Amino acid sequence: MRFLGIVMLCAALGGCVSSGETVSFRASNPQQQALMRDGQPALVSRQKSSLVLVRPASRHMQANGRPVFVVGINNLSRQPVDFRVGQVEAVQHAAGSDFEMKVVTYEMLVQEERNRQVAAALLTGLAAGANAYSAANAGHGSYTTPSGRTGTFYSPTAAAIAQNNAAIQNEAMIAATVETGQRNMAALEQAVIKDNTLMPGEWYGGQLHLAPPADHGGGPKTYTIVIVVGPDRHVVEVAQAPAGA
């Protein structure tokens, strides 16, 4: 049930990606089967001590964006087995050569989110400062009488109202920025796959993020993902192409 919840969460998080490209899988050995799950392609790979299920995190992947897959791992052995993200490899095949596709780890994604939060805090601070400055100058005005005489005035009531409104707006902006950051961090913690020791019979899974494959000539992008679980190596062959191609 826990693994099912992870898969549903991963799919929900990936579901907002706009249409662009789709992926397909090719079984590379008799222990693999390419199939469809809920209208999406998937690959099941079985080795001596483990089973791996791979499917895209969304129905369409953003062109030139990071491919994101949901990976499910089942320990079939009677001993604990280790899964290490650092042992996952991804290689793109193009023009007769192989190119490494970097695995974007949980730690990297967290750092990116922290950087985004710093940038968001700076923008929020600038907006709050502008609000405060505008409120500080509220209440001041000028007038011209029918006789042509001019002058200035100050309304403490108008100033107090403006300053109170600015304080409320600034508090709401800051709270929204903090809440968004906390929500994004919680989503990463729940969804992204990490190092894990699987006990006998245990399922574990999460999102696997990869660096975007390069576009060589506009054709399908083919790459291989190698997922190591204990002594087993699961080789996943992927083709990524524009939707409808």
Side-chain angles (χ1 to χ4, degrees):
M1 292 298 293
R2 178 179 178 274
F3 172 72
L4 179 59
I6 292 173
V7 170
M8 292 177 65
L9 173 63
C10 292
L13 290 173
C16 60
V17 177
S18 60
S19 61
E21 297 182 335
T22 58
V23 302
S24 59
F25 299 98
R26 179 179 65 86
S28 60
N29 60 67
Q31 284 72 47
Q32 293 186 348
Q33 181 181 3
L35 41 78
M36 298 294 290
R37 300 295 294 175
D38 192 27
Q40 293 194 65
L43 181 83
V44 176
S45 177
R46 184 185 181 108
Q47 296 289 334
K48 182 177 180 181
S49 61
S50 61
L51 182 145
V52 167
L53 171 65
V54 182
R55 53 160 284 188
S58 62
R59 298 187 182 278
H60 295 91
M61 292 188 177
Q62 185 177 5
N64 302 316
R66 288 175 177 168
V68 182
F69 296 91
V70 176
V71 177
I73 305 169
N74 183 213
N75 180 7
L76 302 175
S77 72
R78 298 182 179 180
Q79 302 294 330
V81 296
D82 289 335
F83 165 77
R84 297 286 181 264
V85 177
Q87 294 180 318
V88 177
E89 301 174 3
V91 178
Q92 182 180 1
H93 314 292
S97 300
D98 292 339
F99 304 89
E100 179 186 6
M101 293 172 61
K102 190 172 185 178
V103 176
V104 185
T105 65
Y106 167 75
E107 291 76 16
M108 294 176 184
L109 293 168
V110 166
Q111 187 58 54
E112 288 181 357
E113 174 57 24
R114 286 174 178 161
N115 294 341
R116 188 206 63 79
Q117 289 183 23
V118 170
L122 290 174
L123 292 175
T124 300
L126 290 173
N131 272 349
Y133 178 80
S134 177
N137 290 281
H140 294 274
S142 61
Y143 64 90
T144 302
T145 66
S147 62
R149 199 177 90 185
T150 62
T152 61
F153 68 88
Y154 176 71
S155 170
T157 301
I161 293 173
Q163 290 168 8
N164 182 63
N165 289 339
I168 293 173
Q169 291 172 0
N170 289 347
E171 184 178 347
M173 282 194 302
I174 293 170
T177 300
V178 172
E179 181 182 356
T180 298
Q182 292 176 339
R183 185 169 60 248
N184 290 348
M185 284 293 193
L188 290 175
E189 174 65 35
Q190 288 183 274
V192 180
I193 200 165
K194 310 171 192 68
D195 294 352
N196 197 71
T197 298
L198 286 80
M199 304 307 290
E202 183 181 7
W203 274 97
Y204 174 70
Q207 288 183 349
L208 177 67
H209 295 242
L210 303 176
D215 189 355
H216 295 273
K221 305 164 188 174
T222 60
Y223 47 95
T224 300
I225 306 171
V226 179
I227 300 171
V228 179
V229 183
D232 297 340
R233 285 172 59 86
H234 298 267
V235 179
V236 182
E237 301 289 350
V238 185
Q240 183 175 329

